[in-house]
């Protein structure tokens, strides 16, 4: 049907590129992006703190004929994040695209109203959704500048960064920060051929987060990881070479509906 999920991105849009996917071992969006980048022709470094997931994802890609490597580390460590970039360059000789996928709230801290939230939870959710992205972007930009080739950064954001996010204040603020970060990177490095864009996802069903209320989505269904991958391939590849600092919303229409239904 016209609004069924897509199953792959544009063929070979990333042919010959070297890509790093931070959080690429996950069962949801991260793994789907790793697969889509490989299907689009890229060599893919799958970085994750979970060694088994990273290895399994890289093995899957290698088994399908792609070049892939597993890198293990924690995004809360600056040296691990730097190591993801240097490890990718060591393996493939260069870095052309970075996707930051690690993030979320429910997996890390409780969903409570702002006055109930402690500093530790705020800091953790901020670190896992924004601070490491700036860290990874810095490392990738240094590599892009050193190579003199330019490059593309794609960050997986959320509609919670674009509208009120009850019981998700820290998560929403961090995801909103990605929107600002992408704009600033765009402005600072456009002349170097370095681009940064965000994909703001609505509810996406994954193994870790299967539920969701389809009735709240104008398109009548919850998203699947492959709904996000086409946007990620587009933004990571030269298909979007005239686009930077932007936020592409993939949410089945949630953010545009407001209080109105089709019958109003
Ligand atoms: N699923 C949704 O409904 C939804 C909606 C909006 C936005 N998002 C965003 O999509 C992204 C992916 O979400 P997902 O639920 O599909 O996850 P996912 O299945 O893609 O898994 C993320 C991966 O990150 C890894 N990871 C977690 N903490 C890490 C750390 N400290 N260091 C290194 N790796 C770590 C995990 O091992 C996992 O493999 C997140 O940024 C999330 O905010 C998801």
């Amino acid at each position: 049907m016209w609004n069924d999920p897509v199953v792959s991105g544009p063929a070979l849009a990333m042919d010959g590129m070297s890509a790093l996917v931070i959080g690429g071992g996950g069962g949801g969006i991260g793994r789907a992006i790793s697969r889509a980048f490989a299907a689009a022709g890229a060599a893919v470094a799958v970085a994750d703190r979970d060694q088994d997931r990273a290895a399994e994802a890289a093995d899957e890609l290698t088994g399908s004929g792609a070049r892939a490597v597993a890198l293990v580390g924690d995004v809360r460590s600056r040296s691990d994040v730097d190591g993801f970039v240097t490890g990718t360059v060591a393996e493939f000789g260069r870095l052309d695209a970075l996707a930051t996928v690690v993030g979320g709230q429910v997996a890390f801290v409780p969903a409570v109203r702002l006055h109930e939230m402690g500093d530790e939870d705020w800091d953790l959710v901020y670190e896992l959704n924004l601070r490491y992205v700036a860290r990874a972007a810095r490392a990738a930009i240094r590599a892009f500048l050193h190579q003199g080739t330019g490059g593309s950064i794609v960050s997986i954001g959320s509609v919670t960064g674009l509208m009120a996010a009850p019981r998700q204040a820290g998560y929403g603020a961090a995801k909103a920060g990605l929107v600002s970060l992408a704009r600033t990177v765009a402005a600072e490095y456009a002349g170097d051929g370095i681009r940064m864009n965000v994909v703001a996802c609505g509810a996406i069903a994954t193994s870790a987060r299967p539920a969701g209320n389809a009735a709240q989505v104008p398109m009548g269904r919850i998203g699947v990881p492959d709904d996000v991958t086409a946007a990620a391939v587009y933004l990571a590849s030269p298909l979007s070479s005239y686009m930077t600092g932007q936020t592409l919303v993939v949410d089945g229409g949630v953010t545009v509906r407001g209080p109105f239904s089709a019958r109003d």
Side-chain angles (χ1 to χ4, degrees), residues 22-32 47-50 53 73-76 84 100-105 108 128-129 132 156-160 171 175 178 199-209 211 222 225:
I22 301 183
I29 293 169
R31 179 74 70 95
D48 210 287
R49 82 172 160 188
D50 186 314
R53 284 181 175 180
D74 192 314
V75 298
R76 288 172 292 179
F84 292 157
T100 63
V101 189
V102 172
Q105 166 169 296
F108 307 118
L128 290 171
N129 285 282
Y132 93 85
I156 301 303
S158 168
V159 294
T160 54
Y171 179 59
K175 292 297 196 187
L178 292 180
V199 181
C201 306
I204 306 295
T206 67
S207 51
R209 196 181 147 175
I222 298 299

Side-chain angles (χ1 to χ4, degrees), residues 80-92:
D80 283 5
V81 172
D82 287 346
F84 292 157
V85 170
T86 53
T88 306
V89 173
E91 185 70 20
F92 302 133

